[in-house]
Structures are given as structure tokens and as C-alpha cells.
Amino acid sequence: MQLKRKDILGLQDMTAEEIGLILDTAESYKEILSRPVKKVPILRGKSICTLFYENSTRTRCSFELAAKIMSADTTSVSVSGSSIQKGESFKDTLLTLEAMGMDLFVIRHSASGAPHFAARVVKSGVVNAGDGMHEHPTQGLLDMLTIRENKGRIEGLKVLIVGDIMHSRVARSNLWGLSKMGAEVRICGPATLLPVGVDKLPVKTYTDLDEAIDGVDVVNVLRIQLERMDRGFFPSIREYSKFYGVSKTRLKRAKPDVLVMHPGPMNRGIEITPEVADGEFAVITDQVTNGVAVRMALLYLLLGGGGSVVSA
Amino acid sequence: MLLVLRGGRVIDPSRGVDEVTDVIIRNGHIQYIGPFSPPTNGSSLLVNRGQKEVPNSFPSQETTNIKFYDCAGLVITPGFIDMHVHLREPGFEHKETIATGTEAAAAGGFTTIVATPNTKPAVDNRAVVEYVLERGRAALVNVLTTGAATKCNEGAEMAEIGDMVEAGAVAISDDAFPLQSADLMRRVMEYAKMFNIPVLAHCEDKSMTRDAVMNEGVTCTVLGLRPWPRQAEEIMIWRNILLADLTGCALHVQHVTTAGGVEAIKWAKSRGIRVTCETCPQYFSLTDDALTSFDTNAKCNPPLRTQADVDAIKAGLADGTIDVIATDHAPHAREDKEVEMQEAAFGMVGLETALSLVITNLVKSGVLSIGEAIEKMTAAPARVLGLSSGALIEGGSADITVIDPEANVTIRSSEFKSLGRNTPFEGFELAGRVVATIVAGEVVSGELRCGELMMEKK
């Protein structure tokens, strides 16, 4: 089975069946990562371009590694700052790279909607590796895979996302994906970081973390972006940490077998205490491993169909 | 040369006229509005005023030189006035020029347009006012201009308002560069009032719209675009109303988009404060859902709002709170729009889609009668700006628009006269078409059917 789409732009417009297919495929591919020789010829001859207009360590490495394990050829383009500042427009960059024969673009961009724009410009496929404050679908998928792996299911679970909801593409992808898969999604953060209208989405909204965390199966802790401090969303890091930091004490209100997740990079001691980050409930490194598996699955489902069928 | 528009439904809201009759144009002026009777004896031309036939003043030799236009089934109105047009010249001629902008205006039925002062250099002194007016004289339609409130639109020092008014500026405006200082706005209003011109205000508290892209709300939250709260607009509308009350200056609020903005203006009017306002077709035709596909052509300032706002704008048009329909025609080059959403320029072209949107979304849907709709595009802007146009007056300049409200049109930006193709209405199927635009007796756009000469030739 293949995905009947050219692009993966977000989880909002994906069905539960599509998400299920990606997670199932990822689960079966994960085994490859533990082999002594981590290489399969599934995407031999395919060219994948990672085009990153924003800094990234884990997402970029994860995509490139996934592509390489699948034997695709990868080209990586980094642009510091926006395309406009560089002089060449985003559109021209895309057309140039496509003319070189790229089969798939993996795009990270600070502007929400940039991958959607790209998907209209190029005939090749586009995978959104995070666009502005909009979506980060592969993060959402790897978070769901991690939850499913540890809990055996997603349906019926209570998942709390805590932190800077407003600026978070991770929160948005998670809330769409998790709600489609039947979880109860809670979001919590200071009122200044909860976007207007979020209560109209399939979530329960909280500003009090102690109340929000009560009885949840999963806590997904978002990174506080220190560079946003100048906009005055909260008075100080100290106060943020006091009210919204996930600590061992707070975690006691959650289910006894709660999972703690974080999309990284972490600010230890701010949104999460080191004891929790390194503690028994944390599955933060599992998330990273699952990220590679999810991206392998996606690349296969988008590119693997075209006649070159090789078993994994 | 005599031009006769025959048998159209003549609607002139300024005088409450709505009847099927003829319009006779001579030497660029409206000679007479009423049934036209061709001479039967071949010697003198008679026109029929009511029951009694009166000889008119046409010399008999003119009887051989009459052009009839068959307007049966069409509506004849005063030429439309658009008091909010970005002509982009001088400075941004790759987006639009006075020549192309006025061609677009003519195609859209506008016989008079008022240019915004956010050019480069800005229209902030007599020389630039004169430049725009001079270029406008060679254009297809009448071009008027506003002057900038402050030098270089910097919001710091007041521009030479008096000198600009003497040179012909019809209003002062802070369009695109909203004055953030209440104190400066107060001075501008006090000063402008001396010259008996209105201040056209772009209402936006910029401290609330930093990097903002679209209306704050659920759609914006889902798309992860920077939010533009309605309060950024409403706070400034309220502030400017209070300053109009303080100074007694005529305030005209540009492009009202929110329910709260309509409420504020309604309150001000009920208190007798000198305030008028406009909205634009996009604000009663679209909601912020138009950005769901990340279509940069739907990005405008102020942003598209919600259905509740669209409903309130329509109600405000219907109850008279909103005086004027203007377009905020904002042409941009392709490269300004074919970029990431947050980088894309604000604005959409509007001159060539306005009438169809008004007919479809206001008249056909029963919000306004056709007469009320035309009033907001003719007499109302004339009243706000103190212009003598916007009416069909015997002896007045023959600035006339002929429309077919029943025609179906499909919006195709490739057919626009404007250099800007940035419309969110591409492919829309609408009702209402501009058949012809007549400026000073000349058909400057469109085509009319030539009627038969129902008279004997000498």
C-alpha cells in the first residue's frame, strides 16, 4: 500500500488510516536500525534534497540518515536567514534544485506555509520538516509512534502538551494527529502563549499545570524559546519554571506509568527538571530513534512505489 | 456631436432618480436627461419634457451628427468614484502606473479615482501633488490625490498640508503609515480642518500587529501565522473618533473590517461626531478562510476577518453606518506575491472586480438595492470629499457608467488592465458587468451597441 499523495504537509489534512499506515510501516522498519549493516536498497537511485531555511540538528540528521539507510542519494542545502535576504527567491531555489532531478524535497522553513508554496511550485514531492508555527508532521508522527510503542495504543489516552503552544508547530501537529487517533489532548501554558481560538480545536485548554497534569498518560513538554523573551510573554524564566516546569513533584499527579516526552532541544532546569529528563518515565531518546524509523517509512511510502519494489 | 444613451434605466441616487429614459450628451456635458424625440420634420430637434414638446437649443445642422447608443436593459449611473486607489507612481512603476491604473479604473466603471500618498517619493508636498495631477490629466479617467499627513510618511513631522490642498489635494491621509502618536494625529486634524478637508485614517495600532499576517482567531491559530487582532483596528478607530470629537475635523475611517469597528462608527455618528467610513468588496465577500491554502493574494491590510464580521459589514452598509465602498486597489508585482506568506506584500487589486462583487454579494443577496449600492460608489464618496461629481446633472461633466447587472462574468486576472494580477477572486463566477465607462462624453472603456438613427437624414 502507498500513500495516495505527493506531499506530506501536515497532519491536519491526513486521515487516521494514513497515519496508521505510516506508524505500522515505521514499526516494521525500526528493526533495520538494529541490524549490524544498516542499509537496504529500497530507494536506490532516488534523489532527496533537504532544504533547510532554519537551524536544525536532529530533524535534518534524522531525515538524512533515513534516506541513506534506504540507499537514496541526499543533497543538503542550508540557507541561513530567509531566502529574501539571500537574494534568490525561495521559488527560484526550488526550481533550480528540481531541475537537477530531485525526487523529493524535505523542507524546513521559518515561514508558515512555505512547504505548501513549494508543493505548488515543484512537481516533485515535498515533506514538511517544520514550517514556522504551523506544523511539524514528522515530529507528530514520531511522538505518536513512541506513545503507541510504550502504551500499546493511542486511543483513549490522555496526552498533555505543556509550554509555548502559540509558537509551537509540534503542538499543532500533535493535537491533530492524536485527536484523529482517538486520544484526549490537553494543552497547558500561560494565557499569553495560548493562541486565540485554540479552544475551538479538539483540545482541552488549561493554564494551571497541576490541574492539567492530573491523571494523564503522557506529558509532552515543549521547549521554551528563549529568543522570544523580548516579546514579554511571561515575566521571567524563573517564574515560568515555577508555574510551568515539569518536575518530579508535579509528575506525581499524572498516571503512575506516565510517559515524559520532549521534542528537543531541552532547556534543562527551565521547562523540565534534570531529574525528570533523565528519569524513569522519560522516553526522549526513544523519540529520536523513532524519528528515523518514521522518516524511513514516509520516504518509502512517498517514493518507493514507482516500479522499484524491493522488500525490506 | 450629440450622444444619446437610449432607453436605459437611469439611476442617480444623488437626486433620487430611477427611471427608464434617455441621457443626451453634448460637448462632453450632460445636456439633458429625459425622453429624446428625434425631429420628425427634419428641421428641428425636439426633446420631450414630460408631456410638452419643447424646442431645444441644438442647431439644426447637428441633427445629422447624432450617435445613438442602445441602452435597453442596461443601467446608467453616475461614473463611479473610488476614493482609495494605490496608483504606485511615482516610485513603484513595476507594480502599477497612473496610465495602467486608470485603464483598470475605466474598465471597472470608475470615472474618478483618488490616489493614496504612499508613493516614493511620498505625496507629501506640492511638487508631488502636481506631478500626480499632471500625469492624471493625460489619463483615461479623472485622477485626484490625497496628501500624506506627515513628511515622507514617517509619522514624525506634519507635511505641508495647506500647500498641498492649494495644489489640489482633496484630503489628507496616513494610509499604510498609520499615525501612532495620538498627539500628532490631533494636530493633523486640527490643522487639516482649517482647509476644510477630511482626514482619511488607516486605523491600526502597530504595537499589536508586529509581523502580523492574518486575522487573529481559530484559522490563524491552525495555520500558525502571526495574528492580527481586530482590536488593533478598533482601538485606533476609537482613538480617531475621540480626536475627531475633540478637533471637529471630518474623519473618514478607511477600510473598516470588523463588527466592533462598525459599532464604534455607529456610536460616533449617533453622537454627531463628524465621521464617515468606507469598506472594500473583499471585506464583505471573503473571510479569513481564504488564507487556508496559504494564498498570498488573500493577504491584505487590514486582514480578512470572520463571517460574523462580514455579516456586520453588510449590516453596516445596509443601515448607512458605512457610507462608502472603495476598493483599496493595491497592485503588486508577481515577485511580491510569489513568496512565503510572511514575506508577501499586503493588498489585492480591486478596481476591475468591485462592481461584480457589489452586485453579487450586496445587490443580488438583498443587502442593498441597486440604487443604494450605486450611491456608495458615487454620491457618497463625492460627499465625503466635497466633489461635485458622482451625480448626473444637466450641464455637468458627462462622467457616466453603464452597467449590466444581469450579466454573468468569470474573473480572469489575465484580462485585467492593471499591471497587478493579485486577486483572490480568480475564477469566481459573479453577476454584474461594466458595459461602458464614459468620461467627459468619451467612451473610455467598453462598448455600447449603436442604436438606429430613428430620424430622417437631411
Side-chain angles (χ1 to χ4, degrees):
Chain A
M1 192 176 164
Q2 292 293 309
L3 286 172
K4 291 184 181 62
R5 51 171 74 230
K6 153 177 158 326
D7 315 299
I8 302 288
L9 301 176
L11 297 187
Q12 189 195 358
D13 65 351
M14 295 192 91
T15 63
E17 291 68 36
E18 286 177 299
I19 292 169
L21 171 66
I22 296 167
L23 298 184
D24 291 346
T25 312
E27 213 165 62
S28 69
Y29 276 175
K30 200 175 168 184
E31 172 268 327
I32 297 168
L33 297 175
S34 55
R35 291 183 191 174
V37 177
K38 295 187 271 293
K39 197 82 168 175
V40 290
I42 299 174
L43 296 180
R44 202 163 51 192
K46 298 288 185 189
S47 299
I48 295 172
C49 178
T50 59
L51 179 53
F52 276 54
Y53 283 82
E54 235 185 26
N55 294 332
S56 160
T57 307
R58 73 200 62 223
T59 304
R60 171 173 218 138
C61 286
S62 180
F63 265 110
E64 287 181 7
L65 194 61
K68 284 172 177 158
I69 291 169
M70 310 283 277
S71 302
D73 295 309
T74 60
T75 304
S76 70
V77 180
S78 291
V79 185
S80 53
S82 87
S83 56
I84 302 297
Q85 282 155 4
K86 199 195 169 205
E88 186 178 45
S89 75
F90 186 38
K91 181 183 173 182
D92 287 328
T93 305
L94 288 163
L95 291 174
T96 303
L97 291 165
E98 187 181 41
M100 293 177 191
M102 296 300 169
D103 296 298
L104 189 80
F105 287 93
V106 175
I107 296 173
R108 159 72 59 96
H109 203 296
S110 61
S112 300
H116 305 68
F117 174 83
R120 285 196 292 265
V121 170
V122 298
K123 291 179 198 75
S124 333
V126 173
V127 175
N128 181 359
D131 64 321
M133 316 186 302
H134 178 225
E135 281 226 41
H136 192 351
T138 55
Q139 180 72 44
L141 290 165
L142 73 88
D143 287 345
M144 285 191 282
L145 182 61
T146 308
I147 293 169
R148 205 173 77 165
E149 213 173 54
N150 283 277
K151 297 285 181 193
R153 67 193 165 103
I154 293 173
E155 197 176 351
L157 298 181
K158 291 187 172 74
V159 182
L160 169 66
I161 305 168
V162 58
D164 179 356
I165 307 294
M166 180 188 280
H167 300 103
S168 177
R169 52 195 174 213
V170 176
R172 285 172 177 80
S173 285
N174 262 284
L175 77 86
W176 291 122
L178 289 166
S179 60
K180 279 171 204 279
M181 301 308 276
E184 175 190 312
V185 184
R186 300 180 178 185
I187 56 170
C188 179
T192 46
L193 291 173
L194 295 174
V196 168
V198 77
D199 51 314
K200 308 252 177 10
L201 304 182
V203 293
K204 289 186 178 174
T205 308
Y206 300 83
T207 52
D208 181 339
L209 180 53
D210 290 324
E211 194 189 326
I213 206 166
D214 192 55
V216 298
D217 300 279
V218 180
V219 179
N220 198 343
V221 189
L222 300 177
R223 181 179 127 77
I224 273 297
Q225 286 160 292
L226 300 172
E227 59 272 25
R228 297 200 195 283
M229 277 300 292
D230 69 318
R231 299 288 289 261
F233 288 105
F234 50 87
S236 65
I237 294 288
R238 179 180 167 276
E239 179 153 323
Y240 181 85
S241 184
K242 182 177 173 193
F243 285 95
Y244 297 99
V246 175
S247 63
K248 249 184 148 165
T249 325
R250 281 221 162 90
L251 220 46
K252 289 194 180 118
R253 293 172 173 267
K255 291 252 177 78
D257 58 345
V258 66
L259 287 187
V260 176
M261 309 206 298
H262 192 298
M266 275 188 284
N267 298 304
R268 284 169 183 260
I270 298 176
E271 69 262 8
I272 187 167
T273 62
E275 307 85 73
V276 173
D278 301 328
E280 54 184 316
F281 304 118
V283 287
I284 296 166
T285 50
D286 293 10
Q287 287 175 270
V288 178
T289 311
N290 285 337
V292 180
V294 155
R295 287 163 184 132
M296 287 166 67
L298 263 189
L299 296 179
Y300 166 70
L301 292 169
L302 287 172
L303 289 177
S308 62
V309 179
V310 183
S311 65
Chain B
M1 176 72 165
L2 214 59
L3 215 69
V4 180
L5 304 178
R6 201 110 211 253
R9 179 180 168 193
V10 177
I11 300 182
D12 179 5
S14 74
R15 295 179 299 121
V17 172
D18 185 351
E19 60 179 329
V20 175
T21 187
D22 305 325
V23 177
I24 297 100
I25 299 164
R26 184 169 174 241
N27 295 335
H29 288 80
I30 296 172
Q31 175 94 9
Y32 175 59
I33 300 166
F36 177 83
S37 304
T40 48
N41 61 5
S43 60
S44 72
L45 190 63
L46 297 176
V47 289
N48 197 334
R49 269 184 202 273
Q51 294 303 310
K52 118 179 129 118
E53 287 209 333
V54 291
N56 67 41
S57 59
F58 306 136
S60 60
Q61 65 266 27
E62 280 201 350
T63 57
T64 53
N65 201 8
I66 303 175
K67 207 167 195 177
F68 284 93
Y69 286 124
D70 177 10
C71 293
L74 303 179
V75 172
I76 297 171
T77 78
F80 302 156
I81 299 170
D82 188 352
M83 62 183 291
H84 196 154
V85 179
H86 294 273
L87 283 177
R88 305 295 190 208
E89 184 182 349
F92 305 99
E93 290 85 352
H94 66 295
K95 294 176 192 262
E96 190 84 287
T97 65
I98 291 173
T100 58
T102 50
E103 273 182 60
F110 294 92
T111 57
T112 297
I113 57 175
V114 183
T116 57
N118 60 328
T119 49
K120 197 174 179 180
V123 187
D124 67 349
N125 64 70
R126 170 183 281 270
V128 187
V129 169
E130 285 174 349
Y131 172 84
V132 172
L133 296 179
E134 179 59 32
R135 301 284 284 189
R137 271 189 279 279
L140 281 187
V141 306
N142 306 303
V143 176
L144 303 174
T145 189
T146 52
T150 57
K151 288 174 189 160
C152 303
N153 280 315
E154 283 172 352
E157 284 177 76
M158 203 190 297
E160 291 180 349
I161 292 173
D163 205 26
M164 288 194 287
V165 171
E166 273 191 8
V170 294
I172 289 304
S173 168
D174 68 349
D175 193 34
F177 298 95
L179 292 187
Q180 299 301 293
S181 159
D183 186 57
L184 182 58
M185 185 54 137
R186 173 201 174 150
R187 305 293 169 211
V188 165
M189 285 190 183
E190 281 172 340
Y191 198 81
K193 187 186 174 224
M194 289 196 301
F195 299 95
N196 201 25
I197 49 156
V199 170
L200 319 184
H202 173 129
C203 296
E204 177 189 345
D205 182 329
K206 291 187 78 79
S207 71
M208 290 186 89
T209 61
R210 203 167 104 185
D211 302 328
V213 167
M214 71 172 290
N215 181 51
E216 183 169 71
V218 64
T219 309
C220 174
T221 290
V222 167
L223 295 176
L225 292 168
R226 303 267 173 192
W228 188 304
R230 62 188 56 250
Q231 288 76 13
E233 180 174 341
E234 293 163 357
I235 284 170
M236 274 312 198
I237 291 177
W238 279 111
R239 184 201 77 175
N240 288 337
I241 284 170
L242 296 175
L243 294 177
D245 191 26
L246 170 70
T247 61
C249 177
L251 165 70
H252 176 79
V253 179
Q254 298 183 302
H255 41 48
V256 177
T257 70
T258 74
V262 176
E263 276 303 303
I265 292 156
K266 193 181 218 170
W267 177 88
K269 286 185 166 187
S270 75
R271 294 286 295 261
I273 299 168
R274 291 180 71 196
V275 55
T276 56
C277 72
E278 72 193 27
T279 193
C280 313
Q282 56 268 32
Y283 301 121
F284 57 71
S285 302
L286 295 174
T287 66
D288 55 3
D289 283 341
L291 285 103
T292 302
S293 60
F294 291 100
D295 177 6
T296 56
N297 286 329
K299 180 182 176 185
C300 53
N301 173 358
L304 299 173
R305 305 288 186 182
T306 65
Q307 189 58 48
D309 296 297
V310 168
D311 295 342
I313 293 294
K314 286 180 176 175
L317 284 162
D319 72 15
T321 303
I322 300 176
D323 305 84
V324 171
I325 297 169
T327 67
D328 194 6
H329 177 78
H332 287 292
R334 272 179 63 178
E335 64 269 25
D336 302 325
K337 284 289 193 180
E338 282 189 345
V339 292
E340 303 88 318
M341 182 63 89
Q342 71 185 36
E343 307 289 345
F346 288 98
M348 52 183 74
V349 289
L351 287 168
E352 293 170 85
T353 50
L355 187 265
S356 302
L357 291 165
V358 166
I359 295 290
T360 306
N361 294 324
L362 298 180
V363 179
K364 295 283 179 194
S365 63
V367 176
L368 298 179
S369 70
I370 189 164
E372 290 166 334
I374 290 165
E375 198 266 342
K376 292 181 192 297
M377 301 173 79
T378 56
R383 192 169 61 238
V384 170
L385 296 171
L387 308 177
S388 60
S389 49
L392 298 175
I393 297 168
E394 289 172 6
S397 180
D399 291 353
I400 296 170
T401 301
V402 182
I403 61 176
D404 181 355
E406 304 306 323
N408 294 315
V409 296
T410 304
I411 303 299
R412 299 211 187 287
S413 60
S414 58
E415 294 167 5
F416 285 172
K417 301 289 183 193
S418 170
L419 290 183
R421 299 292 149 89
N422 48 307
T423 177
F425 299 108
E426 182 72 42
F428 274 47
E429 293 182 0
L430 303 172
R433 184 173 73 89
V434 175
V435 177
T437 307
I438 299 168
V439 176
E442 297 285 330
V443 178
V444 295
S445 174
E447 229 170 70
L448 287 163
R449 285 190 303 268
C450 279
E452 279 181 41
L453 292 175
M454 294 166 61
M455 57 163 54
E456 293 171 17
K457 281 183 187 171
K458 260 188 164 177

